[in-house]
């Protein structure tokens, strides 16, 4: 990277959303639980697995399937068969299809057991619609004892919907900070100063749009990169941070009791500034004309030279940067970290839920306990097959091998069972690894509204109708294809008729109840 700060942040990114790494493959085919204590992060002895009736557990993951995913999960199935007499079958919903197919799994009554769940996949909505199984204390403590014991209290609170838990959240905190990867060679070629703020990013993108017709300056992916809107709040220390997956027209601020109020998000200065910028960028050629139909994320297109910017979590950006520097050192990859107030991500940013129709919920929880706490399971699902995709270096480092691109670290949606077992690339400096370990070992306090959990139980129909209208009218504005005023005028008129005021009032009532319980 171009300077020490850039190197620091790129290395820092090896711990967050999409590209994380959990710990060490012990080479014992997953049997460390039979001779290791739970204090070492391994599964307790469940006895003879043949005493359990053989079952097949079906798991749904999000994202495009890596080339060697089937090989990896064949090995995982062998381990689970040995340990809990369960065969494992995995289905991937690609990034281009998951938003359409995810709800169909429930409406069609599909047969599956485990599924990735998160605030951004509308965990609250599916839990409220009885799509997920309620996870009681008895069910958890008997079948996932390590998870029950070691998952932080805040995590369980963030998983509650009307006082009940419907998913197992991740067990560690992670920074929610985003990062951008940039092409240093293009920045230098078009005489743009190093990017240090949003104005610098704007200059970089518009210069490329003006001078280079062979690349999309910013291949923005609206379905998964909407958090980019945070950059546009006039108060970067108290932006509109609360969002609802089932109704993106309403929101709130989590940073203080006084500031935590229900609001119409599309009327906020944050969204107006964002939409106006996107409209200007679209007209300048910064964004793709096909932005609404684009299926790839910006970082995927960045890696193959079709976007001049990659946007993602710091963790994902770090892994991308390491690979890009190997593949294209001539790009002189740089990183830009926006200066915004980013609290620790919600524990429910990554979770696993059990289908309410699952025939094997107890075994599913046993399996999840292994995924989250057993190092061999963690290493296999995060990194792939030891000796083929990666090799361990000490207790907490890894070295990517030649086949790593066929199963990149963290690429096959293991985020739902993110736990304390993790490794860092041998290319990450010791000082950075120590910093990351320190972040993981400490408990970071959430802002006032950090544990607020929204439920749309009273406004399901209204939210569904408003969400459809938001996609129809505001999504085009979010990628600059329509100007803000035109889009919002049409949206507001239709949304009012669909119950926008009722949805806003219901959100405010829930916020008021939260405040009453959290003076």
């Amino acid at each position: 990277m171009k300077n020490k700060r850039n190197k620091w942040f790129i290395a820092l990114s090896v711990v967050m959303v999409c590209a994380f790494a959990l710990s060490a493959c012990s080479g014992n085919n997953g049997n460390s639980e039979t001779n290791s204590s739970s204090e070492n992060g391994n599964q307790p002895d469940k006895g003879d697995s043949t005493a359990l009736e053989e079952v097949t557990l079906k798991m749904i993951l999000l994202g495009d399937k890596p080339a060697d995913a089937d090989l990896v999960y064949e090995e995982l199935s062998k381990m689970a068969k040995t340990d809990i007499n369960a065969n494992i079958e995995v289905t991937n919903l690609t990034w281009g299809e998951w938003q359409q197919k995810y709800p169909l799994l429930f409406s069609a009554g599909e047969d599956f057991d485990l599924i990735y769940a998160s605030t951004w996949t509308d965990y609250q909505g599916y839990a409220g619609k009885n799509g997920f199984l309620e996870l009681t204390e008895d069910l958890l403590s008997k079948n996932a004892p390590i998870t029950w014991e070691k998952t932080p209290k805040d995590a369980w609170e963030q998983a509650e919907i009307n006082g009940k838990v419907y998913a197992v959240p991740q067990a560690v905190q992670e920074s929610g900070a985003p990062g951008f990867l940039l092409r240093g060679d293009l920045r230098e070629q078009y005489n743009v100063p190093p990017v240090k703020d949003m104005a610098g990013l704007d200059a970089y993108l518009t210069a490329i749009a003006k001078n280079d017709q062979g690349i999309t300056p910013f291949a923005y992916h609206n379905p998964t990169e909407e958090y980019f809107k945070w950059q546009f709040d006039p108060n970067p220390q108290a932006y509109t941070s609360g969002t609802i997956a089932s109704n993106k027209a309403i929101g709130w601020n989590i940073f203080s009791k006084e500031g935590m109020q229900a609001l119409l998000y599309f009327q906020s200065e944050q969204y107006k500034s964002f939409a106006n910028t996107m409209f200007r960028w679209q007209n300048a050629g910064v964004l793709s004309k096909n932005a609404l139909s684009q299926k790839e994320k910006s970082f995927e297109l960045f890696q193959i030279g079709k976007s001049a910017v990659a946007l993602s979590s710091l963790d994902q950006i770090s892994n991308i940067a390491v690979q890009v520097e190997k593949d294209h050192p001539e790009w002189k990859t740089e990183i830009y970290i926006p200066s915004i107030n980013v609290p620790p991500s919600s524990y429910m940013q990554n979770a696993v839920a059990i289908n309410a129709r699952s025939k094997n919920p107890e075994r599913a929880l046993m399996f999840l306990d292994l995924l989250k706490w057993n190092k061999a399971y963690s290493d296999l699902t995060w990194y792939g097959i030891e000796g083929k995709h990666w090799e361990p270096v000490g207790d907490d480092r890894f070295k990517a091998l030649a086949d790593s691109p066929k199963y990149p670290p963290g690429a096959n949606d293991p985020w739902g069972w993110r736990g304390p077992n993790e490794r860092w690339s041998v290319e990450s400096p010791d000082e950075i690894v120590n910093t990351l370990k320190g972040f993981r070992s400490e408990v970071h306090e959430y802002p006032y509204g950090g544990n607020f959990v929204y439920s749309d139980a009273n406004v399901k129909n209204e939210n569904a109708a408003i969400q459809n209208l938001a996609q129809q009218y505001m999504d085009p504005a979010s990628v600059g294809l329509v100007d803000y005023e035109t889009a919002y005028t049409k949206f507001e008129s239709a949304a009012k008729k669909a119950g926008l005021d009722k949805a806003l009032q219901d959100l405010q009532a829930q916020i008021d109840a939260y405040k009453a319980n959290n003076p």
Side-chain angles (χ1 to χ4, degrees), residues 348-419:
M348 279 303 299
Q349 175 167 303
N350 296 300
V352 177
I354 295 176
N355 185 4
R357 297 184 176 93
S358 171
K359 301 179 183 67
N360 307 294
E362 294 87 358
R363 204 75 59 87
L365 284 171
M366 292 179 190
F367 179 55
L368 186 55
D369 225 22
L370 287 165
L371 287 173
K372 189 181 289 285
W373 303 101
N374 184 290
K375 290 183 177 181
Y377 282 70
S378 298
D379 277 339
L380 180 64
T381 53
W382 278 94
Y383 296 109
I385 299 170
E386 182 180 342
K388 177 178 176 62
H389 301 108
W390 70 286
E391 64 182 26
V393 179
D395 293 331
D396 54 14
R397 297 291 187 104
F398 75 92
K399 178 182 178 181
L401 300 181
D403 280 351
S404 181
K406 296 180 180 179
Y407 195 88
N412 201 38
D413 189 15
W415 322 312
W417 50 91
R418 175 165 288 157

Side-chain angles (χ1 to χ4, degrees), residues 9 11-22 116 170 172-179 227 230 312-319 337 342-345 349-350 382 410 414-416 418 422 424 436 439-440:
F9 278 114
L12 172 64
S13 39
V14 188
V15 285
M16 279 172 41
V17 177
C18 286
F20 208 17
L22 299 187
Y116 178 84
Q170 66 181 39
V172 294
Q173 287 181 318
E174 56 181 290
S175 169
Y227 56 87
W230 293 351
S312 193
S313 68
L314 289 183
D315 291 289
Q316 182 74 347
I317 288 296
S318 171
N319 286 325
I337 310 297
V342 181
S345 297
Q349 175 167 303
N350 296 300
W382 278 94
W415 322 312
R418 175 165 288 157
E422 65 185 279
W424 286 268
L436 296 176
F439 184 88
R440 286 287 188 256

